[in-house]
C-alpha cells in the first residue's frame, strides 16, 4: 500500500529511421525522447481515487469503496490480460462519462481504470518491475490504439534506442544520447491514409518503390551500426554520417509520397543553418527532428528555434536516447516540473 508520495516519469518516443518501410517488413529504429511524462502518486485519506491529467483537461474522482465493491470478474484472474470489447463496455459504465465526452478524455480515463482495477486487485507488485510495467503499458496502448506494435511502451519502459523488425523488438546496446530539435509543424495528418498511399504506390510502381523501401532498410541498419560504434565518445565523422543518413531518408520518404510542404520548409530553414532534418512518424505534416552536433553554440540553436517558430511551428530542444521509466525524489526534479506538479 502506498504510504508516501511516489514520483515516476517515462520518456516520449520518436522514429529515427524506418518510417513506412517497417510496415513492409523492414527495420525501424525508435528512440526515447527526453520530453518526459511525470506521474505523482500521492496517498489521501478522503476515500477517493483522484485522476488529474492537466495536459488534456481531465480531473475526475471515484469512491474507493465503490470501486472495491464492483464486480471486477470481467477483468479475469491471472496474468496481464488483453482488454476485450465487453470489458471496455463495462469500464465505460464504471467511468460514468457523459455522452459528449471528448474521445481523448474517454480513452485516457478507460485506460486508467483498466490498469487501476487490474493491478490494484493483485494487492502486490512482482519483483520483475520493468517487465511488468512494459506488459501493463502495452495493455494501456491496446485500450487506446486497438492493435499497437508494442514499440511505444517498450521505448518508454526501457529507454535508449530500440530496433523493430517484423514484430520483434530488441534494445540497441551503447546507444549515445543525441541532442535534437523536435519541431511540430502543427499540420494534422491521417496515418492510415498515408500508410495506404505508400501501399498503393508500391502496387502501382513495384520496381520503383520496392528499391526505395530496401534502401530505407539499409539506412536503418547503417544508423544502427554507427550508433553502436559511437558509444560514449562519438567522433565528428560519425555525426557527418548520421547527417547524410537523415538527408537520404528524408528524400526517400518524399519519394514515397509522405512528405509535406511544411516539412520541406522545416528542412530548408535548418539546412540554411548547416543542420539536417527529417520527418518522424507518419509524415504528411506532424513532427520533424533536427540533429544538433556537439559544439554548436547555443545562440545558433536559439536562432534556429526562433526561425522555426516564425514559420508557425512549435520547436523544443531535447535529447534522444534518454533513460526509460524512472523513480524520482522530489529534490531531484527540475524546478519547472516541480512547479507543474504542485499546481495539480
Amino acid at each position: 500500500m502506498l504510504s508516501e508520495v511516489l514520483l515516476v516519469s517515462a520518456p516520449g518516443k520518436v522514429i529515427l529511421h524506418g518510417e513506412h518501410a517497417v510496415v513492409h517488413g523492414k527495420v525501424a529504429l525508435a528512440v526515447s525522447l527526453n520530453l518526459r511524462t511525470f506521474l505523482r502518486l500521492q496517498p489521501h485519506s478522503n476515500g477517493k481515487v483522484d485522476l488529474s491529467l492537466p495536459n488534456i483537461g481531465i480531473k475526475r474522482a471515484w469512491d474507493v469503496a465503490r470501486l472495491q465493491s464492483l464486480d471486477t470478474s470481467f477483468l479475469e484472474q491471472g496474468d496481464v490480460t488483453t482488454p476485450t470489447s465487453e470489458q471496455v463496455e463495462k469500464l465505460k459504465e464504471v467511468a460514468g462519462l457523459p455522452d459528449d465526452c471528448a474521445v481523448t478524455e474517454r480513452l485516457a480515463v478507460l485506460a486508467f481504470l483498466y490498469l487501476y482495477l487490474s493491478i490494484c486487485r493483485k494487492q502486490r507488485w512482482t519483483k520483475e518491475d520493468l517487465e511488468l510495467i512494459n506488459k501493463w503499458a502495452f495493455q494501456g496502448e491496446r485500450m487506446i490504439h486497438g492493435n499497437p506494435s508494442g514499440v511505444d511502451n517498450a521505448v518508454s519502459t526501457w529507454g535508449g534506442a530500440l530496433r523493430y523488425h517484423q514484430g520483434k523488438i530488441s534494445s540497441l546496446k551503447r546507444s549515445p544520447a543525441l541532442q535534437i530539435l523536435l519541431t511540430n509543424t502543427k499540420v494534422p495528418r491521417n496515418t492510415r491514409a498515408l500508410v495506404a498511399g505508400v501501399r498503393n504506390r508500391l502496387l502501382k510502381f513495384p520496381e520503383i518503390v520496392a528499391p526505395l523501401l530496401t534502401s530505407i532498410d539499409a539506412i536503418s541498419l547503417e544508423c544502427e551500426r554507427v550508433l553502436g560504434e559511437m558509444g560514449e565518445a562519438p567522433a565528428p565523422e560519425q555525426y557527418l554520417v548520421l547527417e547524410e543518413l537523415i538527408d537520404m531518408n528524408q528524400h526517400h520518404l518524399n519519394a514515397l509520397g509522405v512528405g509535406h510542404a511544411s516539412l520541406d520548409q522545416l528542412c530548408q530553414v535548418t539546412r540554411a543553418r548547416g543542420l539536417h532534418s527529417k520527418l518522424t512518424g507518419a509524415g504528411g505534416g506532424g513532427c520533424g527532428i533536427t540533429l544538433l552536433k556537439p559544439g554548436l553554440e547555443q545562440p545558433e540553436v536559439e536562432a534556429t528555434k526562433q526561425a522555426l517558430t516564425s514559420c508557425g511551428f512549435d520547436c523544443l530542444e531535447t535529447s534522444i536516447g534518454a533513460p526509460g521509466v524512472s523513480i524520482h525524489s522530489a529534490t531531484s526534479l527540475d524546478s519547472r516540473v516541480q512547479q507543474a506538479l504542485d499546481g495539480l
Side-chain angles (χ1 to χ4, degrees), residues 71-81 87 118 121-122:
D71 176 12
T72 56
S73 59
F74 68 90
L75 292 171
E76 303 179 5
Q77 298 296 319
D79 201 359
V80 177
T81 55
Q87 290 173 342
S118 298
R121 66 194 172 93
K122 293 177 179 291

Side-chain angles (χ1 to χ4, degrees), residues 4-299:
E4 59 184 22
V5 176
L6 179 65
L7 296 170
V8 182
S9 76
K13 180 222 74 177
V14 293
I15 299 295
L16 191 57
H17 291 292
E19 294 95 341
H20 291 282
V22 69
V23 178
H24 301 276
K26 309 302 184 183
V27 170
L29 299 181
V31 291
S32 58
L33 185 67
N34 203 27
L35 295 174
R36 308 183 73 83
T37 297
F38 283 84
L39 169 68
R40 181 173 65 184
L41 297 172
Q42 185 170 349
H44 289 284
S45 57
N46 62 358
K48 292 185 178 294
V49 176
D50 295 294
L51 174 65
S52 177
L53 303 174
N55 287 59
I56 54 176
I58 292 177
K59 197 171 183 65
R60 301 191 66 83
W62 298 269
D63 289 324
V64 172
R66 179 174 177 270
L67 292 178
Q68 290 177 340
S69 68
L70 290 171
D71 176 12
T72 56
S73 59
F74 68 90
L75 292 171
E76 303 179 5
Q77 298 296 319
D79 201 359
V80 177
T81 55
T82 301
T84 64
S85 57
E86 291 80 8
Q87 290 173 342
V88 173
E89 289 305 312
K90 287 186 175 291
L91 284 171
K92 288 180 181 178
E93 297 176 16
V94 174
L97 296 170
D99 293 337
D100 60 351
C101 178
V103 174
T104 51
E105 181 176 346
R106 181 183 301 112
L107 291 174
V109 170
L110 292 179
F112 168 78
L113 283 175
Y114 176 77
L115 297 176
Y116 176 83
L117 292 172
S118 298
I119 294 171
C120 287
R121 66 194 172 93
K122 293 177 179 291
Q123 299 299 317
R124 66 183 181 88
W125 293 93
T126 71
K127 295 181 180 179
E128 300 167 336
D129 291 329
L130 288 178
E131 289 287 355
L132 187 65
I133 288 170
N134 190 45
K135 288 179 181 179
W136 280 115
F138 182 64
Q139 299 312 320
E141 283 280 295
R142 282 179 178 269
M143 288 294 300
I144 295 173
H145 294 301
N147 187 30
S149 67
V151 172
D152 286 9
N153 53 277
V155 171
S156 289
T157 301
W158 305 106
L162 297 180
R163 182 186 203 265
Y164 182 86
H165 185 220
Q166 296 182 343
K168 295 181 180 179
I169 301 172
S170 56
S171 295
L172 273 63
K173 296 181 180 179
R174 299 194 311 156
S175 176
L178 304 175
Q179 294 297 121
I180 66 161
L181 296 179
L182 177 69
T183 302
N184 183 0
T185 67
K186 298 192 280 190
V187 174
R189 76 275 180 90
N190 184 324
T191 298
R192 183 174 297 179
L194 289 161
V195 170
V198 173
R199 181 176 289 109
N200 291 337
R201 190 167 287 199
L202 175 61
L203 293 173
K204 187 176 182 180
F205 305 109
E207 294 185 356
I208 298 171
V209 176
L212 286 173
L213 298 174
T214 300
S215 182
I216 291 175
D217 186 57
I219 289 171
S220 296
L221 294 174
E222 178 64 10
C223 183
E224 180 182 6
R225 183 191 68 78
V226 174
L227 291 176
E229 291 181 351
M230 291 176 77
E232 297 180 0
E237 56 268 23
Q238 290 170 323
Y239 274 91
L240 293 176
V241 174
L242 293 181
E243 290 176 337
E244 286 188 86
L245 295 176
I246 285 173
D247 290 342
M248 287 189 289
N249 201 352
Q250 179 61 21
H251 288 308
H252 282 37
L253 290 165
N254 275 332
L256 291 178
V258 297
H260 189 271
S262 63
L263 293 165
D264 291 339
Q265 186 178 18
L266 188 164
C267 292
Q268 290 166 4
V269 168
T270 56
R271 189 184 306 117
R273 290 161 173 78
L275 301 174
H276 301 255
S277 306
K278 64 176 288 292
L279 67 84
T280 181
C287 293
I289 55 174
T290 304
L291 182 63
L292 301 177
K293 292 185 293 187
L296 190 65
E297 297 292 336
Q298 193 59 35

